[in-house]
C-alpha cells in the first residue's frame, strides 16, 4: 500500500483534519510511555538529539529535559540501557549531504510506529500517514502553526477533554517571512541540500521555536524532537526533496553517499522497530526515493498529495536552467536564444579571496573586506568575458567558515558591497561549535554571489582589490552569548 | 569548498603511494633499521667492530642500535603508518587554500605533523631501548603495553585526543601567515595524534617477533578510529570499523565498474 502524506492545513489545520486528530491521539499514547521504552515519544526525540544524558551549557540550562515543565518527569525516571542509547541516541546529521536521507528514515520509522498505534490500539484508519506542514504556502496563509498545535486542550467527545498532546508551551513562534524556496531551482544535489537545510529548514526551526531567549523546543537540536510540530516540519522538508527529484533532479551516485560512510556521520543510521529496540539499519541508498527499502526487506511506500516544485506562487522563482540562460544572455547579448544548457554536475572550486582575522559578531554588526587574489580573480574575469553556452562562466560563492558560538536562535544577514545577499539561520550553532560533538568546526554557511560579480563585470567595476562585506545579527544576544566567524572565503566554481 | 574528483584522487594516490613505498622499505628492513638487534651468542662476544662487549650491556645495545638509526626507523614507520591519516586534513587544506599554495602548504603541514611524532619518538625510542635492555627478547613489555593500550583505547582521555584530531584550523589565505598556520596546524594535529596513538604505536615496537603484522593491524586501527565522528567523553569500548566500511564501499565501486 502506498501511503499518502497530506497537508496539515486541510480542514483549516484544526482537529477537523482527521490526520491531525489521529496524530494527536497516537502521540498521546507514545507520550504515556516511559523513556526506557524504545517506542516512547521521549526515546524517539532523543534519537534526533537529547539533553537527557547530555547536559546543556549553562545558558540553556532550562532546556535540560529534566527541567522542561511539559514533560511528565516520572516518565524520565528510568533511563534506557546504555546499549540502546549508544546505538540510537544523538544520531541526527546536519551540515552535510546525509541530512536528507537520515531524516527520511527517521520519519518513516516514527510514522510506522504511530500508524501501528492508530490501527492496533486506537482502531483508526489503516492508511493514516504523517501530515506535512507547508509554511511556504503563503497564498493560503499556511505560514503559521496550524491551530491543532496551539490549542491547549483536545475534545475527544462531548464530555471528555484532555490536554492537547500536540501543544507544547515551550514554543514562542515568530514570523515566517524569511522562508524561501530557492533550493527548488538548484540542479546540483550539494547546492540543493545545503540551501534546503538552511532555508526553509533552519529558519523554520527557529521561527517556530522562537529566536529570542528563552528559546523554544524547536530552536535547539537537542529538544526539537520533543515538539510534535517537528515531524510535520520535516515531512515538508522531505516533500520538497521528493518534489525536487520528481522534477528531474538527481541524487548523488557516489558510493560514500549511497553507503553512508563518511566521518561526518556519528553512528550507523538505525531506528528501533519495537519497545525492545530491534533495529532497522539503513543507509542513504535505502531512502533515495519514497519507496524505502525498509525493515525485514520490505518496501515502505509513501508519497505526498502535492509534489509541486514550488509552493509560493506569489513570488517568481527561476529554475537553474532559466537562471543560466538569463545570465548568459546578460553577459553576452550576442548569444542566440539559449534553450538547453549542459551544466556539469562535477564541482571544482578554488579559493579566490578571503578576509583576514576572526570576526566577532557579538556586538551585532561587523564590516570587513574580502581581499581578492589577483591571479584567481583574473580567471573569473576571463570566464565572464568568454561566456557562452559551451563555455559557461564561473560561479562565485562566499563561505562563512568556522561560524561558532552559542546563539542558535539568531540569524545573520549578509551584505556584499552594500547589497543584501541572504539571511542565514544559526540553528545548530552551539552544537556545531562543541569540540566533543562536531569536532568544534562550527557551521559553514554558503551564499551564491554570482549575480553581484556579474554586475561588477557589466558595470566595468570588476577591477577591484576587495569586496566590502557586512554581517548583521538579526536577534538579541545576551551577555553570555557569542557569535564569531573564523574566516570569510570567496570561491570561484569552475563549470 | 568542493574539490574536483581529479584533485581528490591525486591526493589519495599520492599519499597512499608514498606510504606504500615506505612500507616496502620497512618490510625489507635494510640494515635492521626498525628492529632492535641483540647479540645472539654467549656472553662476552665480539659484537661490533673489534671491541669485546658484554652481551647485555647498554653499550652493546647502543653499538648495535645507534640512536640515529633508531630514529630514522621510527620516522619511516611514522610515515608509513600515519600518512594515510592525513588524507582528510590535506583535502581540507586544498579546499581552503589558493590553488598555487596548496601543495606547499600541504608539505609544511606534513612536516609539522612529522615533527611532533619525531619528538615523541625520542622518548618512545628511549622506552623501547630501556625495555630491550632490561628484558631483552621478552614478550613481557609488549604484553604490558598491550594491556595498557587496550585500557587506554576505552578511556575518555583517548577519545578527547581523537576528537581534537577533528579540529580544523582557520587558515589565512595569503603570504607568510598562510605558511605559518599550515605548519602549526601540522604540529598541533600531530600532537593530538601522538596523544591518541602513542600506546598503539609502542606495542608493535616492543614485540620481539611479528611486529610487521602488528604494525599493519595497528595502522588499520588508527586510520579507522581517525575516520570516526567525534564522540562524547566517557569510558567504553567502541568498535571503530569505518575504514572497513570505506573499503567495502570502494570495492563495490570497482565491482560495478567491472560489470559495466
Amino acid at each position: 500500500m502506498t501511503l499518502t502524506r497530506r497537508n496539515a492545513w486541510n480542514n483549516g489545520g484544526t482537529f477537523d483534519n482527521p490526520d491531525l486528530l489521529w496524530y494527536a491521539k497516537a502521540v498521546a499514547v507514545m507520550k504515556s510511555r516511559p523513556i526506557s521504552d524504545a517506542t516512547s515519544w521521549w526515546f524517539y526525540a532523543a534519537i534526533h538529539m537529547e539533553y537527557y544524558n547530555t547536559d546543556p551549557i549553562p545558558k540553556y540550562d532550562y532546556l535540560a529535559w529534566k527541567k522542561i515543565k511539559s514533560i511528565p518527569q516520572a516518565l524520565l525516571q528510568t533511563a534506557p540501557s546504555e546499549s540502546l542509547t549508544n546505538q540510537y541516541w544523538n544520531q541526527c546529521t546536519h551540515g552535510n549531504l546525509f541530512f536528507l536521507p537520515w531524516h527520511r528514515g527517521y520519519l518513516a520509522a516514527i510514522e510506522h510506529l504511530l500508524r501501528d498505534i492508530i490501527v492496533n490500539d486506537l482502531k483508526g484508519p489503516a492508511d493514516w500517514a504523517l501530515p506535512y506542514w507547508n509554511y511556504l504556502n503563503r497564498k493560503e496563509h499556511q505560514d503559521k502553526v496550524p491551530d491543532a498545535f496551539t490549542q491547549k486542550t483536545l475534545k475527544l467527545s462531548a464530555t471528555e477533554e484532555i490536554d492537547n498532546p500536540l501543544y507544547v508551551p515551550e514554543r514562542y513562534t515568530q514570523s515566517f517571512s524569511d522562508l524561501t524556496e530557492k533550493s527548488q531551482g538548484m540542479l546540483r544535489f550539494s547546492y540543493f541540500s545545503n540551501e534546503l537545510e538552511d532555508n526553509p529548514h533552519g529558519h523554520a526551526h527557529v521561527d517556530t521555536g522562537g529566536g529570542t531567549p528563552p528559546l523554544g523546543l524547536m530552536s535547539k537540536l537537542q529538544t526539537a524532537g520533543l515538539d510534535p510540530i517537528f515531524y510535520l516540519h520535516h515531512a515538508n522538508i522531505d516533500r520538497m526533496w521528493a518534489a525536487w527529484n520528481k522534477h528531474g533532479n538527481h541524487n548523488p551516485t557516489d558510493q560514500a553517499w549511497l553507503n553512508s560512510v563518511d566521518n561526518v556521520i556519528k553512528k550507523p543510521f538505525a531506528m528501533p522497530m519495537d519497545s525492545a529496540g530491534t533495529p532497522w539499519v539503513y543507509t542513504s541508498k535505502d531512502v533515495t526515493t519514497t519507496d524505502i527499502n525498509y525493515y525485514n526487506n520490505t518496501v515502505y511506500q509513501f508519497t505526498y498529495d502535492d509534489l509541486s516544485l514550488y509552493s509560493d506562487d506569489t513570488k517568481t522563482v527561476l529554475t537553474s536552467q532559466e537562471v543560466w540562460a538569463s545570465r548568459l544572455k546578460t553577459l553576452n547579448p550576442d548569444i542566440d536564444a539559449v534553450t538547453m544548457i549542459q551544466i556539469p554536475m562535477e564541482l571544482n572550486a578554488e579559493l579566490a579571496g578571503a578576509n583576514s582575522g576572526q570576526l566577532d559578531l557579538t556586538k551585532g554588526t561587523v564590516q570587513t573586506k574580502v581581499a581578492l587574489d589577483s591571479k584567481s580573480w583574473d580567471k573569473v574575469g576571463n570566464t565572464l568575458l568568454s561566456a557562452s553556452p559551451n563555455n559557461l562562466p564561473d560561479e562565485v560563492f562566499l563561505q562563512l567558515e568556522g561560524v561558532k558560538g552559542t546563539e542558535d536562535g539568531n540569524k545573520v544577514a549578509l551584505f556584499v558591497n552594500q547589497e543584501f545577499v541572504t539571511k542565514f539561520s544559526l540553528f545548530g550553532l552551539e552544537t556545531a561549535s562543541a569540540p566533543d560533538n562536531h569536532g568544534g568546526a562550527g557551521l559553514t554557511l554558503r551564499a551564491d554571489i554570482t549575480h553581484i560579480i556579474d554586475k561588477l563585470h557589466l558595470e566595468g567595476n570588476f577591477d577591484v582589490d576587495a569586496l566590502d562585506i557586512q554581517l548583521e545579527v538579526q536577534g538579541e544576544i545576551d551577555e553570555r552569548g557569542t557569535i564569531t566567524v573564523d574566516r570569510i572565503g570567496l570561491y570561484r566554481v569552475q563549470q | 569548498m568542493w574539490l574536483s574528483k581529479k584533485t581528490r584522487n591525486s591526493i589519495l594516490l599520492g599519499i597512499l603511494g608514498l606510504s606504500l613505498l615506505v612500507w616496502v622499505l620497512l618490510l625489507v628492513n635494510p640494515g635492521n633499521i626498525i628492529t632492535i638487534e641483540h647479540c645472539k651468542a654467549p656472553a662476552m662476544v665480539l659484537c661490533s667492530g673489534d671491541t669485546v662487549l658484554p652481551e647485555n650491556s647498554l653499550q652493546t645495545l647502543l653499538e648495535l642500535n645507534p640512536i640515529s638509526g633508531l630514529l630514522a626507523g621510527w620516522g619511516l614507520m611514522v610515515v608509513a603508518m600515519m600518512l594515510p591519516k592525513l588524507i582528510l586534513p590535506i583535502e581540507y587544506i586544498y579546499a581552503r587554500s589558493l590553488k598555487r599554495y596548496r601543495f606547499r602548504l600541504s608539505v609544511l603541514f606534513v612536516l609539522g605533523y612529522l615533527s611532533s611524532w619525531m619528538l615523541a619518538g625520542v622518548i618512545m625510542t628511549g622506552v623501547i631501548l630501556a625495555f630491550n635492555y632490561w628484558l631483552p627478547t621478552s614478550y613481557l613489555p609488549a604484553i604490558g603495553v598491550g594491556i595498557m593500550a587496550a585500557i587506554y583505547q576505552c578511556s575518555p582521555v583517548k577519545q578527547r585526543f581523537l576528537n581534537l584530531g577533528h579540529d580544523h584550523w582557520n587558515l589565512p589565505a595569503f603570504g607568510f601567515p598562510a605558511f605559518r598556520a599550515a605548519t602549526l596546524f601540522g604540529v598541533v594535529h600531530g600532537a593530538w595524534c601522538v596523544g591518541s596513538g602513542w600506546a598503539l604505536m609502542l606495542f608493535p615496537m616492543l614485540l620481539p617477533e611479528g611486529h610487521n603484522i602488528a604494525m599493519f593491524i595497528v595502522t588499520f586501527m588508527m586510520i579507522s578510529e581517525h575516520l570516526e565522528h567525534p564522540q562524547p567523553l566517557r569510558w567504553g569500548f567502541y568498535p571503530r570499523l569505518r575504514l572497513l566500511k570505506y573499503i567495502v564501499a570502494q570495492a563495490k565501486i570497482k565491482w560495478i565498474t567491472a560489470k559495466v
Side-chain angles (χ1 to χ4, degrees), chain A residues 325-337:
Chain A
S326 158
R327 183 179 179 213
L328 286 176
K329 197 75 189 149
T330 313
L331 288 172
N332 187 351
D334 296 336
I335 295 175
D336 295 332

Side-chain angles (χ1 to χ4, degrees), chain A residues 145-428:
Chain A
V145 176
D147 292 349
F149 290 83
T150 58
Q151 61 188 62
K152 291 186 179 172
T153 55
L154 166 60
K155 213 166 191 174
L156 295 174
S157 66
T159 54
E160 193 183 358
E161 193 172 72
I162 60 169
D163 288 340
N164 180 6
L166 304 186
Y167 171 76
V168 291
E170 301 89 359
R171 193 192 290 140
Y172 314 109
T173 307
Q174 57 195 32
S175 158
F176 292 90
S177 58
D178 289 333
L179 302 187
T180 69
E181 45 189 345
K182 278 193 289 186
S183 59
Q184 302 308 91
M186 295 176 169
L187 280 185
R188 292 162 169 138
F189 183 83
S190 49
Y191 288 17
F192 164 73
S193 176
N194 178 68
E195 178 65 29
L196 183 69
E197 186 178 346
D198 177 53
N199 197 341
H201 166 259
H203 282 266
H205 262 284
V206 296
D207 290 345
T208 309
T212 308
L215 298 188
L217 301 181
M218 275 286 279
S219 301
K220 287 286 289 178
L221 288 164
Q222 292 84 348
T223 49
L226 293 168
D227 188 335
I229 196 76
F230 169 86
Y231 299 96
L232 277 69
H233 165 40
H234 269 278
N236 193 49
I237 297 298
D238 189 73
R239 186 189 65 83
M240 292 175 77
W241 181 21
W244 186 78
N245 279 148
K246 191 194 164 208
H247 286 80
N249 297 300
H250 302 290
N251 298 329
T253 52
D254 64 280
Q255 295 298 316
W257 187 80
L258 290 170
N259 292 290
S260 302
V261 283
D262 194 297
N263 74 340
V264 298
I265 294 172
K266 296 177 206 166
K267 49 182 90 174
F269 302 171
M271 297 296 152
M273 294 288 99
D274 54 36
S275 56
T278 308
W280 164 49
V281 180
Y282 64 101
T283 65
S284 305
K285 69 175 180 297
D286 296 315
V287 293
T288 50
T289 71
T290 53
D291 290 348
I292 293 179
N293 296 321
Y294 198 53
Y295 177 59
N296 262 348
N297 297 320
T298 55
V299 179
Y300 188 97
Q301 293 174 300
F302 67 94
T303 187
Y304 292 90
D305 66 356
D306 181 4
L307 283 171
S308 316
L309 194 56
Y310 296 105
S311 302
D312 185 2
D313 55 10
T314 61
K315 286 182 183 173
T316 308
V317 187
L318 302 176
T319 64
S320 270
Q321 282 287 341
E322 290 166 331
V323 169
W324 271 106
S326 158
R327 183 179 179 213
L328 286 176
K329 197 75 189 149
T330 313
L331 288 172
N332 187 351
D334 296 336
I335 295 175
D336 295 332
V338 182
T339 50
M340 193 65 194
I341 301 162
Q342 290 297 324
I343 302 168
M345 289 296 123
E346 166 85 13
L347 288 165
N348 185 11
E350 153 188 354
L351 185 71
N355 77 315
S356 60
Q358 191 189 57
L359 302 171
D360 184 357
L361 274 66
T362 310
K363 295 282 179 275
T365 298
V366 165
Q367 289 168 334
T368 187
K369 282 186 183 297
V370 164
L372 301 167
D373 174 58
S374 58
K375 285 185 180 159
S376 312
W377 192 238
D378 286 348
K379 290 183 203 166
V380 177
N382 290 338
T383 69
L384 293 174
L385 285 169
S386 59
S388 77
N390 298 322
N391 201 5
L392 296 178
D394 287 351
E395 292 175 296
V396 181
F397 282 76
L398 270 186
Q399 185 164 268
L400 276 60
E401 297 162 352
V403 184
K404 297 171 192 165
T406 57
E407 303 304 284
D408 292 38
N410 264 292
K411 298 182 181 184
V412 173
L414 167 69
F415 296 81
V416 177
N417 289 350
Q418 290 78 49
E419 186 173 330
F420 173 75
V421 177
T422 193
K423 199 184 278 186
F424 298 110
S425 153
L426 299 184
F427 178 63

Side-chain angles (χ1 to χ4, degrees), chain B residues 185-215:
Chain B
F185 178 24
V187 171
V188 173
H189 191 75
W192 304 146
C193 204
V194 170
S196 68
W198 62 271
L200 279 177
M201 281 292 274
L202 203 50
F203 172 72
M205 296 302 284
L206 292 172
L207 280 171
E209 298 288 338
H211 74 271
N212 281 340
I213 185 75
M215 268 171 59

Side-chain angles (χ1 to χ4, degrees), chain A residues 406-482:
Chain A
T406 57
E407 303 304 284
D408 292 38
N410 264 292
K411 298 182 181 184
V412 173
L414 167 69
F415 296 81
V416 177
N417 289 350
Q418 290 78 49
E419 186 173 330
F420 173 75
V421 177
T422 193
K423 199 184 278 186
F424 298 110
S425 153
L426 299 184
F427 178 63
L429 177 70
E430 190 254 315
T431 307
S433 310
D436 294 323
N437 213 322
H438 267 243
L443 297 175
T444 303
L445 306 171
R446 204 174 292 140
D448 186 347
I449 60 161
T450 306
H451 60 290
I452 292 176
I453 305 307
D454 284 356
K455 200 159 81 178
L456 284 178
H457 167 71
L458 291 166
E459 290 173 353
N461 297 324
F462 191 80
D463 194 15
V464 289
D465 298 327
L467 299 179
D468 293 324
I469 307 293
Q470 181 166 312
L471 296 174
E472 272 182 27
V473 178
Q474 302 289 293
E476 288 175 27
I477 303 177
D478 67 26
E479 67 279 4
R480 290 184 292 176
T482 58

Side-chain angles (χ1 to χ4, degrees), chain B residues 29-44:
Chain B
N29 195 12
N32 299 316
I33 53 172
I34 59 156
T35 42
I36 298 287
E37 291 303 302
H38 294 277
C39 283
K40 303 286 193 300
M44 302 296 285

